[in-house]
Amino acid sequence: MKASAIVAHGGFEGLRYIDLPDPQPSQKEVVIRVCACALNHLDIWLRKGIPAYRLELPHVPGSDVAGEVVAVGDGVTNVKVGDKVIVNPNLTCGECEWCRMGEDSMCDSFGIFGAKCWGGYAEYAKVPARNLIPMPENLTFEQAAAFPLTFLTAWHMLITRAGLKPSERVLVVAAGSGVGVAAIQIAKLAGAFVIATAGTDEKCERAKALGADAVINHSRENIAERVKILTDGRGVDLVFEHVGHEVFERCLASLAKGGRLVTCGATTRPTASFDIRFLFSRQLSIIGSMMGRTSELLTIVRLVSEGKLKPVIDKTFPLSEAVKAQEVLESRNFFGKLVLVP
Ligand SMILES: [Zn+2]
């Protein structure tokens, strides 16, 4: 099969369009023909190489996949050849204490599809059968690939970890990112007042079109100062943050007393400094979050199939142009998801 695989860690030259053996399903596994695979920032970390993921090269990245079942291994009963499916990116043992509590992303051997095993930057992908979910009928393959990981991450952050309540005021940082477009929609669905930040006026307009009640162009406005103006000096109840170093302190400064900051990702630098006195005197909370539960993903799939949440695609690329797609992802010059089509 053709694949855009990581052959060496480092720059874009480490991602190459090459031939790899076709995958064969083992017991309780399925092979799907990949019809679309969305990019995530994780793909860039995998290419560059990070300690959390020790990869055997070549490695096929790609965590968000929609496709068609072409082969099933022994013992597979939940899908059959020809079924259109999406892939739940949570790879779990199903047996540890955390799995039994339904806390997938805390599984002792947790991994993400496309990181722990080969993913969707290829014509075919091998997937554990229990990770397949029927594809919503109202979506194209590209749309179906463009929501699982980011909507799951945003849902777990806003609803489960941060306990967002109706009428609360939320600041969504970097609205044009994959998790940003998900967070705006989820927060609106939850009844919140949403302030979104983006780096260009065009992205601010698109954030408004998605439902944001107010927008901040962070390339020329101070986020914390603007939030204070938009909230009559009070600040927001919740900050949805995934950029890290570049904005962390300003995000904390945007919080109302008793406010929460929920974070994942750290796409700029992973360290941040802040005044601890500011944290305790204003009784703030910083909440970590990563991926989410399969039960949450099933809720999201239902809401997407009902049209209440919508995947947002900026651009699609042929699989052979994965480098070009990753260049756009690193440039931040996009709104929503970038999708590869084999
Ligand atoms: Zn487990």
PDB file of all heavy atoms in Angstrom, residues 186-224:
ATOM      1  N   ILE A 186     -19.361  23.153  21.267  1.00  0.00           N
ATOM      2  CA  ILE A 186     -19.773  22.406  22.461  1.00  0.00           C
ATOM      3  C   ILE A 186     -20.193  23.376  23.568  1.00  0.00           C
ATOM      4  O   ILE A 186     -21.210  23.169  24.249  1.00  0.00           O
ATOM      5  CB  ILE A 186     -18.641  21.464  22.929  1.00  0.00           C
ATOM      6  CG1 ILE A 186     -18.434  20.345  21.888  1.00  0.00           C
ATOM      7  CG2 ILE A 186     -18.935  20.871  24.301  1.00  0.00           C
ATOM      8  CD1 ILE A 186     -17.142  19.570  22.053  1.00  0.00           C
ATOM      9  N   ALA A 187     -19.417  24.447  23.736  1.00  0.00           N
ATOM     10  CA  ALA A 187     -19.747  25.423  24.791  1.00  0.00           C
ATOM     11  C   ALA A 187     -21.080  26.110  24.496  1.00  0.00           C
ATOM     12  O   ALA A 187     -21.874  26.364  25.402  1.00  0.00           O
ATOM     13  CB  ALA A 187     -18.623  26.453  24.923  1.00  0.00           C
ATOM     14  N   LYS A 188     -21.345  26.408  23.214  1.00  0.00           N
ATOM     15  CA  LYS A 188     -22.635  27.016  22.861  1.00  0.00           C
ATOM     16  C   LYS A 188     -23.778  26.034  23.124  1.00  0.00           C
ATOM     17  O   LYS A 188     -24.825  26.403  23.654  1.00  0.00           O
ATOM     18  CB  LYS A 188     -22.649  27.452  21.384  1.00  0.00           C
ATOM     19  CG  LYS A 188     -21.880  28.723  21.072  1.00  0.00           C
ATOM     20  CD  LYS A 188     -22.233  29.895  21.973  1.00  0.00           C
ATOM     21  CE  LYS A 188     -23.688  30.366  21.819  1.00  0.00           C
ATOM     22  NZ  LYS A 188     -23.987  31.454  22.790  1.00  0.00           N
ATOM     23  N   LEU A 189     -23.552  24.776  22.732  1.00  0.00           N
ATOM     24  CA  LEU A 189     -24.571  23.749  22.949  1.00  0.00           C
ATOM     25  C   LEU A 189     -24.878  23.606  24.439  1.00  0.00           C
ATOM     26  O   LEU A 189     -26.012  23.313  24.837  1.00  0.00           O
ATOM     27  CB  LEU A 189     -24.065  22.417  22.371  1.00  0.00           C
ATOM     28  CG  LEU A 189     -25.067  21.314  22.103  1.00  0.00           C
ATOM     29  CD1 LEU A 189     -26.098  21.739  21.069  1.00  0.00           C
ATOM     30  CD2 LEU A 189     -24.346  20.049  21.629  1.00  0.00           C
ATOM     31  N   ALA A 190     -23.854  23.832  25.282  1.00  0.00           N
ATOM     32  CA  ALA A 190     -24.023  23.709  26.729  1.00  0.00           C
ATOM     33  C   ALA A 190     -24.652  24.963  27.336  1.00  0.00           C
ATOM     34  O   ALA A 190     -24.864  25.027  28.550  1.00  0.00           O
ATOM     35  CB  ALA A 190     -22.675  23.422  27.389  1.00  0.00           C
ATOM     36  N   GLY A 191     -24.897  25.974  26.500  1.00  0.00           N
ATOM     37  CA  GLY A 191     -25.579  27.172  26.992  1.00  0.00           C
ATOM     38  C   GLY A 191     -24.670  28.258  27.529  1.00  0.00           C
ATOM     39  O   GLY A 191     -25.115  29.159  28.238  1.00  0.00           O
ATOM     40  N   ALA A 192     -23.382  28.188  27.193  1.00  0.00           N
ATOM     41  CA  ALA A 192     -22.434  29.178  27.710  1.00  0.00           C
ATOM     42  C   ALA A 192     -22.370  30.411  26.811  1.00  0.00           C
ATOM     43  O   ALA A 192     -22.790  30.381  25.653  1.00  0.00           O
ATOM     44  CB  ALA A 192     -21.047  28.547  27.818  1.00  0.00           C
ATOM     45  N   PHE A 193     -21.824  31.507  27.371  1.00  0.00           N
ATOM     46  CA  PHE A 193     -21.484  32.707  26.605  1.00  0.00           C
ATOM     47  C   PHE A 193     -20.023  32.534  26.205  1.00  0.00           C
ATOM     48  O   PHE A 193     -19.156  32.361  27.060  1.00  0.00           O
ATOM     49  CB  PHE A 193     -21.660  33.958  27.474  1.00  0.00           C
ATOM     50  CG  PHE A 193     -21.301  35.238  26.768  1.00  0.00           C
ATOM     51  CD1 PHE A 193     -22.246  35.911  26.003  1.00  0.00           C
ATOM     52  CD2 PHE A 193     -20.020  35.777  26.874  1.00  0.00           C
ATOM     53  CE1 PHE A 193     -21.917  37.097  25.353  1.00  0.00           C
ATOM     54  CE2 PHE A 193     -19.683  36.970  26.229  1.00  0.00           C
ATOM     55  CZ  PHE A 193     -20.641  37.623  25.463  1.00  0.00           C
ATOM     56  N   VAL A 194     -19.763  32.553  24.881  1.00  0.00           N
ATOM     57  CA  VAL A 194     -18.439  32.167  24.398  1.00  0.00           C
ATOM     58  C   VAL A 194     -17.676  33.359  23.824  1.00  0.00           C
ATOM     59  O   VAL A 194     -18.147  34.038  22.918  1.00  0.00           O
ATOM     60  CB  VAL A 194     -18.549  31.071  23.311  1.00  0.00           C
ATOM     61  CG1 VAL A 194     -17.174  30.732  22.740  1.00  0.00           C
ATOM     62  CG2 VAL A 194     -19.209  29.827  23.884  1.00  0.00           C
ATOM     63  N   ILE A 195     -16.483  33.580  24.387  1.00  0.00           N
ATOM     64  CA  ILE A 195     -15.549  34.549  23.815  1.00  0.00           C
ATOM     65  C   ILE A 195     -14.423  33.733  23.179  1.00  0.00           C
ATOM     66  O   ILE A 195     -13.843  32.866  23.834  1.00  0.00           O
ATOM     67  CB  ILE A 195     -14.958  35.472  24.907  1.00  0.00           C
ATOM     68  CG1 ILE A 195     -16.072  36.196  25.667  1.00  0.00           C
ATOM     69  CG2 ILE A 195     -13.982  36.469  24.289  1.00  0.00           C
ATOM     70  CD1 ILE A 195     -15.580  36.947  26.902  1.00  0.00           C
ATOM     71  N   ALA A 196     -14.137  33.994  21.908  1.00  0.00           N
ATOM     72  CA  ALA A 196     -13.111  33.215  21.212  1.00  0.00           C
ATOM     73  C   ALA A 196     -11.968  34.126  20.783  1.00  0.00           C
ATOM     74  O   ALA A 196     -12.186  35.284  20.438  1.00  0.00           O
ATOM     75  CB  ALA A 196     -13.716  32.533  19.986  1.00  0.00           C
ATOM     76  N   THR A 197     -10.742  33.598  20.811  1.00  0.00           N
ATOM     77  CA  THR A 197      -9.613  34.370  20.299  1.00  0.00           C
ATOM     78  C   THR A 197      -9.102  33.737  19.014  1.00  0.00           C
ATOM     79  O   THR A 197      -9.164  32.528  18.830  1.00  0.00           O
ATOM     80  CB  THR A 197      -8.432  34.437  21.295  1.00  0.00           C
ATOM     81  OG1 THR A 197      -7.613  33.270  21.145  1.00  0.00           O
ATOM     82  CG2 THR A 197      -8.900  34.562  22.727  1.00  0.00           C
ATOM     83  N   ALA A 198      -8.593  34.596  18.115  1.00  0.00           N
ATOM     84  CA  ALA A 198      -7.967  34.105  16.885  1.00  0.00           C
ATOM     85  C   ALA A 198      -6.969  35.165  16.434  1.00  0.00           C
ATOM     86  O   ALA A 198      -7.015  36.313  16.881  1.00  0.00           O
ATOM     87  CB  ALA A 198      -9.013  33.847  15.804  1.00  0.00           C
ATOM     88  N   GLY A 199      -6.073  34.761  15.531  1.00  0.00           N
ATOM     89  CA  GLY A 199      -4.969  35.638  15.162  1.00  0.00           C
ATOM     90  C   GLY A 199      -5.232  36.541  13.969  1.00  0.00           C
ATOM     91  O   GLY A 199      -4.417  37.413  13.659  1.00  0.00           O
ATOM     92  N   THR A 200      -6.346  36.355  13.280  1.00  0.00           N
ATOM     93  CA  THR A 200      -6.671  37.224  12.139  1.00  0.00           C
ATOM     94  C   THR A 200      -8.154  37.606  12.197  1.00  0.00           C
ATOM     95  O   THR A 200      -8.966  36.894  12.807  1.00  0.00           O
ATOM     96  CB  THR A 200      -6.430  36.510  10.779  1.00  0.00           C
ATOM     97  OG1 THR A 200      -7.388  35.452  10.646  1.00  0.00           O
ATOM     98  CG2 THR A 200      -5.026  35.933  10.677  1.00  0.00           C
ATOM     99  N   ASP A 201      -8.474  38.709  11.522  1.00  0.00           N
ATOM    100  CA  ASP A 201      -9.881  39.144  11.490  1.00  0.00           C
ATOM    101  C   ASP A 201     -10.755  38.106  10.786  1.00  0.00           C
ATOM    102  O   ASP A 201     -11.898  37.874  11.169  1.00  0.00           O
ATOM    103  CB  ASP A 201     -10.004  40.497  10.773  1.00  0.00           C
ATOM    104  CG  ASP A 201      -9.424  41.625  11.624  1.00  0.00           C
ATOM    105  OD1 ASP A 201      -9.334  41.447  12.856  1.00  0.00           O
ATOM    106  OD2 ASP A 201      -9.068  42.668  11.046  1.00  0.00           O
ATOM    107  N   GLU A 202     -10.180  37.489   9.749  1.00  0.00           N
ATOM    108  CA  GLU A 202     -10.950  36.483   9.000  1.00  0.00           C
ATOM    109  C   GLU A 202     -11.329  35.308   9.914  1.00  0.00           C
ATOM    110  O   GLU A 202     -12.476  34.851   9.916  1.00  0.00           O
ATOM    111  CB  GLU A 202     -10.132  35.992   7.801  1.00  0.00           C
ATOM    112  CG  GLU A 202     -10.955  35.186   6.812  1.00  0.00           C
ATOM    113  CD  GLU A 202     -10.123  34.183   6.035  1.00  0.00           C
ATOM    114  OE1 GLU A 202      -8.909  34.421   5.854  1.00  0.00           O
ATOM    115  OE2 GLU A 202     -10.695  33.161   5.615  1.00  0.00           O
ATOM    116  N   LYS A 203     -10.353  34.850  10.710  1.00  0.00           N
ATOM    117  CA  LYS A 203     -10.648  33.739  11.633  1.00  0.00           C
ATOM    118  C   LYS A 203     -11.655  34.180  12.704  1.00  0.00           C
ATOM    119  O   LYS A 203     -12.507  33.395  13.120  1.00  0.00           O
ATOM    120  CB  LYS A 203      -9.365  33.261  12.311  1.00  0.00           C
ATOM    121  CG  LYS A 203      -8.452  32.444  11.416  1.00  0.00           C
ATOM    122  CD  LYS A 203      -7.350  31.845  12.273  1.00  0.00           C
ATOM    123  CE  LYS A 203      -6.207  31.332  11.429  1.00  0.00           C
ATOM    124  NZ  LYS A 203      -5.119  30.793  12.259  1.00  0.00           N
ATOM    125  N   CYS A 204     -11.562  35.436  13.135  1.00  0.00           N
ATOM    126  CA  CYS A 204     -12.521  35.950  14.128  1.00  0.00           C
ATOM    127  C   CYS A 204     -13.937  35.893  13.547  1.00  0.00           C
ATOM    128  O   CYS A 204     -14.887  35.499  14.240  1.00  0.00           O
ATOM    129  CB  CYS A 204     -12.164  37.377  14.522  1.00  0.00           C
ATOM    130  SG  CYS A 204     -10.755  37.476  15.652  1.00  0.00           S
ATOM    131  N   GLU A 205     -14.069  36.277  12.277  1.00  0.00           N
ATOM    132  CA  GLU A 205     -15.387  36.240  11.630  1.00  0.00           C
ATOM    133  C   GLU A 205     -15.910  34.812  11.555  1.00  0.00           C
ATOM    134  O   GLU A 205     -17.091  34.544  11.783  1.00  0.00           O
ATOM    135  CB  GLU A 205     -15.310  36.853  10.217  1.00  0.00           C
ATOM    136  CG  GLU A 205     -15.296  38.379  10.208  1.00  0.00           C
ATOM    137  CD  GLU A 205     -16.394  38.994  11.091  1.00  0.00           C
ATOM    138  OE1 GLU A 205     -17.565  38.606  10.932  1.00  0.00           O
ATOM    139  OE2 GLU A 205     -16.064  39.826  11.963  1.00  0.00           O
ATOM    140  N   ARG A 206     -15.013  33.876  11.226  1.00  0.00           N
ATOM    141  CA  ARG A 206     -15.438  32.473  11.121  1.00  0.00           C
ATOM    142  C   ARG A 206     -15.827  31.914  12.497  1.00  0.00           C
ATOM    143  O   ARG A 206     -16.731  31.095  12.618  1.00  0.00           O
ATOM    144  CB  ARG A 206     -14.350  31.636  10.460  1.00  0.00           C
ATOM    145  CG  ARG A 206     -14.117  32.062   9.006  1.00  0.00           C
ATOM    146  CD  ARG A 206     -13.215  31.114   8.265  1.00  0.00           C
ATOM    147  NE  ARG A 206     -13.849  29.812   8.033  1.00  0.00           N
ATOM    148  CZ  ARG A 206     -13.307  28.854   7.302  1.00  0.00           C
ATOM    149  NH1 ARG A 206     -12.140  29.052   6.718  1.00  0.00           N
ATOM    150  NH2 ARG A 206     -13.926  27.710   7.125  1.00  0.00           N
ATOM    151  N   ALA A 207     -15.126  32.379  13.533  1.00  0.00           N
ATOM    152  CA  ALA A 207     -15.470  31.939  14.896  1.00  0.00           C
ATOM    153  C   ALA A 207     -16.870  32.437  15.263  1.00  0.00           C
ATOM    154  O   ALA A 207     -17.661  31.718  15.873  1.00  0.00           O
ATOM    155  CB  ALA A 207     -14.443  32.456  15.891  1.00  0.00           C
ATOM    156  N   LYS A 208     -17.175  33.666  14.850  1.00  0.00           N
ATOM    157  CA  LYS A 208     -18.510  34.225  15.114  1.00  0.00           C
ATOM    158  C   LYS A 208     -19.572  33.417  14.371  1.00  0.00           C
ATOM    159  O   LYS A 208     -20.635  33.115  14.917  1.00  0.00           O
ATOM    160  CB  LYS A 208     -18.571  35.678  14.640  1.00  0.00           C
ATOM    161  CG  LYS A 208     -18.344  36.685  15.728  1.00  0.00           C
ATOM    162  CD  LYS A 208     -18.690  38.065  15.203  1.00  0.00           C
ATOM    163  CE  LYS A 208     -18.338  39.122  16.225  1.00  0.00           C
ATOM    164  NZ  LYS A 208     -18.350  40.462  15.627  1.00  0.00           N
ATOM    165  N   ALA A 209     -19.262  33.084  13.114  1.00  0.00           N
ATOM    166  CA  ALA A 209     -20.214  32.306  12.311  1.00  0.00           C
ATOM    167  C   ALA A 209     -20.479  30.944  12.946  1.00  0.00           C
ATOM    168  O   ALA A 209     -21.554  30.364  12.784  1.00  0.00           O
ATOM    169  CB  ALA A 209     -19.687  32.152  10.887  1.00  0.00           C
ATOM    170  N   LEU A 210     -19.491  30.431  13.681  1.00  0.00           N
ATOM    171  CA  LEU A 210     -19.665  29.130  14.355  1.00  0.00           C
ATOM    172  C   LEU A 210     -20.476  29.259  15.638  1.00  0.00           C
ATOM    173  O   LEU A 210     -20.842  28.262  16.235  1.00  0.00           O
ATOM    174  CB  LEU A 210     -18.296  28.555  14.715  1.00  0.00           C
ATOM    175  CG  LEU A 210     -17.648  27.552  13.784  1.00  0.00           C
ATOM    176  CD1 LEU A 210     -16.391  27.002  14.445  1.00  0.00           C
ATOM    177  CD2 LEU A 210     -18.584  26.414  13.425  1.00  0.00           C
ATOM    178  N   GLY A 211     -20.665  30.507  16.086  1.00  0.00           N
ATOM    179  CA  GLY A 211     -21.491  30.688  17.277  1.00  0.00           C
ATOM    180  C   GLY A 211     -20.869  31.508  18.389  1.00  0.00           C
ATOM    181  O   GLY A 211     -21.536  31.794  19.386  1.00  0.00           O
ATOM    182  N   ALA A 212     -19.586  31.887  18.243  1.00  0.00           N
ATOM    183  CA  ALA A 212     -18.952  32.683  19.308  1.00  0.00           C
ATOM    184  C   ALA A 212     -19.732  33.983  19.501  1.00  0.00           C
ATOM    185  O   ALA A 212     -20.117  34.636  18.530  1.00  0.00           O
ATOM    186  CB  ALA A 212     -17.507  32.978  18.950  1.00  0.00           C
ATOM    187  N   ASP A 213     -19.959  34.360  20.773  1.00  0.00           N
ATOM    188  CA  ASP A 213     -20.715  35.579  21.071  1.00  0.00           C
ATOM    189  C   ASP A 213     -19.846  36.822  20.947  1.00  0.00           C
ATOM    190  O   ASP A 213     -20.336  37.906  20.655  1.00  0.00           O
ATOM    191  CB  ASP A 213     -21.277  35.493  22.496  1.00  0.00           C
ATOM    192  CG  ASP A 213     -22.236  34.324  22.647  1.00  0.00           C
ATOM    193  OD1 ASP A 213     -23.364  34.429  22.139  1.00  0.00           O
ATOM    194  OD2 ASP A 213     -21.852  33.290  23.234  1.00  0.00           O
ATOM    195  N   ALA A 214     -18.554  36.672  21.209  1.00  0.00           N
ATOM    196  CA  ALA A 214     -17.613  37.788  21.079  1.00  0.00           C
ATOM    197  C   ALA A 214     -16.268  37.215  20.654  1.00  0.00           C
ATOM    198  O   ALA A 214     -15.982  36.041  20.908  1.00  0.00           O
ATOM    199  CB  ALA A 214     -17.475  38.517  22.410  1.00  0.00           C
ATOM    200  N   VAL A 215     -15.466  38.030  19.973  1.00  0.00           N
ATOM    201  CA  VAL A 215     -14.159  37.540  19.502  1.00  0.00           C
ATOM    202  C   VAL A 215     -13.062  38.540  19.873  1.00  0.00           C
ATOM    203  O   VAL A 215     -13.319  39.738  20.018  1.00  0.00           O
ATOM    204  CB  VAL A 215     -14.150  37.300  17.974  1.00  0.00           C
ATOM    205  CG1 VAL A 215     -14.937  36.068  17.621  1.00  0.00           C
ATOM    206  CG2 VAL A 215     -14.674  38.525  17.232  1.00  0.00           C
ATOM    207  N   ILE A 216     -11.856  38.012  20.035  1.00  0.00           N
ATOM    208  CA  ILE A 216     -10.686  38.845  20.329  1.00  0.00           C
ATOM    209  C   ILE A 216      -9.609  38.494  19.310  1.00  0.00           C
ATOM    210  O   ILE A 216      -9.257  37.320  19.165  1.00  0.00           O
ATOM    211  CB  ILE A 216     -10.145  38.561  21.754  1.00  0.00           C
ATOM    212  CG1 ILE A 216     -11.213  38.877  22.808  1.00  0.00           C
ATOM    213  CG2 ILE A 216      -8.865  39.348  22.006  1.00  0.00           C
ATOM    214  CD1 ILE A 216     -10.819  38.456  24.223  1.00  0.00           C
ATOM    215  N   ASN A 217      -9.116  39.514  18.588  1.00  0.00           N
ATOM    216  CA  ASN A 217      -7.990  39.271  17.682  1.00  0.00           C
ATOM    217  C   ASN A 217      -6.718  39.380  18.521  1.00  0.00           C
ATOM    218  O   ASN A 217      -6.259  40.471  18.838  1.00  0.00           O
ATOM    219  CB  ASN A 217      -7.994  40.301  16.544  1.00  0.00           C
ATOM    220  CG  ASN A 217      -6.873  40.031  15.548  1.00  0.00           C
ATOM    221  OD1 ASN A 217      -5.825  39.497  15.911  1.00  0.00           O
ATOM    222  ND2 ASN A 217      -7.105  40.401  14.303  1.00  0.00           N
ATOM    223  N   HIS A 218      -6.145  38.220  18.882  1.00  0.00           N
ATOM    224  CA  HIS A 218      -5.020  38.240  19.840  1.00  0.00           C
ATOM    225  C   HIS A 218      -3.725  38.746  19.227  1.00  0.00           C
ATOM    226  O   HIS A 218      -2.733  38.918  19.916  1.00  0.00           O
ATOM    227  CB  HIS A 218      -4.835  36.877  20.520  1.00  0.00           C
ATOM    228  CG  HIS A 218      -4.505  35.748  19.595  1.00  0.00           C
ATOM    229  ND1 HIS A 218      -5.205  34.564  19.597  1.00  0.00           N
ATOM    230  CD2 HIS A 218      -3.567  35.609  18.639  1.00  0.00           C
ATOM    231  CE1 HIS A 218      -4.698  33.752  18.686  1.00  0.00           C
ATOM    232  NE2 HIS A 218      -3.711  34.354  18.095  1.00  0.00           N
ATOM    233  N   SER A 219      -3.732  38.971  17.898  1.00  0.00           N
ATOM    234  CA  SER A 219      -2.509  39.533  17.300  1.00  0.00           C
ATOM    235  C   SER A 219      -2.405  41.034  17.566  1.00  0.00           C
ATOM    236  O   SER A 219      -1.335  41.618  17.488  1.00  0.00           O
ATOM    237  CB  SER A 219      -2.471  39.248  15.799  1.00  0.00           C
ATOM    238  OG  SER A 219      -3.493  39.967  15.144  1.00  0.00           O
ATOM    239  N   ARG A 220      -3.515  41.678  17.884  1.00  0.00           N
ATOM    240  CA  ARG A 220      -3.414  43.114  18.182  1.00  0.00           C
ATOM    241  C   ARG A 220      -4.127  43.538  19.460  1.00  0.00           C
ATOM    242  O   ARG A 220      -4.005  44.689  19.876  1.00  0.00           O
ATOM    243  CB  ARG A 220      -3.926  43.948  16.984  1.00  0.00           C
ATOM    244  CG  ARG A 220      -5.358  43.710  16.586  1.00  0.00           C
ATOM    245  CD  ARG A 220      -5.907  44.881  15.766  1.00  0.00           C
ATOM    246  NE  ARG A 220      -7.330  44.752  15.607  1.00  0.00           N
ATOM    247  CZ  ARG A 220      -7.911  44.124  14.581  1.00  0.00           C
ATOM    248  NH1 ARG A 220      -7.194  43.602  13.620  1.00  0.00           N
ATOM    249  NH2 ARG A 220      -9.226  44.029  14.532  1.00  0.00           N
ATOM    250  N   GLU A 221      -4.832  42.611  20.112  1.00  0.00           N
ATOM    251  CA  GLU A 221      -5.508  42.965  21.364  1.00  0.00           C
ATOM    252  C   GLU A 221      -4.960  42.107  22.504  1.00  0.00           C
ATOM    253  O   GLU A 221      -4.644  40.935  22.303  1.00  0.00           O
ATOM    254  CB  GLU A 221      -7.018  42.731  21.239  1.00  0.00           C
ATOM    255  CG  GLU A 221      -7.698  43.649  20.224  1.00  0.00           C
ATOM    256  CD  GLU A 221      -9.168  43.292  20.010  1.00  0.00           C
ATOM    257  OE1 GLU A 221      -9.467  42.150  19.623  1.00  0.00           O
ATOM    258  OE2 GLU A 221     -10.001  44.170  20.245  1.00  0.00           O
ATOM    259  N   ASN A 222      -4.844  42.703  23.702  1.00  0.00           N
ATOM    260  CA  ASN A 222      -4.434  41.950  24.882  1.00  0.00           C
ATOM    261  C   ASN A 222      -5.638  41.122  25.362  1.00  0.00           C
ATOM    262  O   ASN A 222      -6.693  41.679  25.677  1.00  0.00           O
ATOM    263  CB  ASN A 222      -3.958  42.916  25.969  1.00  0.00           C
ATOM    264  CG  ASN A 222      -3.544  42.188  27.230  1.00  0.00           C
ATOM    265  OD1 ASN A 222      -4.336  41.470  27.846  1.00  0.00           O
ATOM    266  ND2 ASN A 222      -2.291  42.363  27.608  1.00  0.00           N
ATOM    267  N   ILE A 223      -5.455  39.804  25.398  1.00  0.00           N
ATOM    268  CA  ILE A 223      -6.581  38.915  25.706  1.00  0.00           C
ATOM    269  C   ILE A 223      -7.218  39.264  27.056  1.00  0.00           C
ATOM    270  O   ILE A 223      -8.441  39.455  27.153  1.00  0.00           O
ATOM    271  CB  ILE A 223      -6.124  37.426  25.706  1.00  0.00           C
ATOM    272  CG1 ILE A 223      -5.715  36.991  24.290  1.00  0.00           C
ATOM    273  CG2 ILE A 223      -7.235  36.519  26.228  1.00  0.00           C
ATOM    274  CD1 ILE A 223      -5.122  35.589  24.217  1.00  0.00           C
ATOM    275  N   ALA A 224      -6.384  39.373  28.095  1.00  0.00           N
ATOM    276  CA  ALA A 224      -6.929  39.587  29.444  1.00  0.00           C
ATOM    277  C   ALA A 224      -7.658  40.938  29.545  1.00  0.00           C
ATOM    278  O   ALA A 224      -8.747  41.023  30.128  1.00  0.00           O
ATOM    279  CB  ALA A 224      -5.820  39.500  30.479  1.00  0.00           C
TER     280      ALA A 224
END
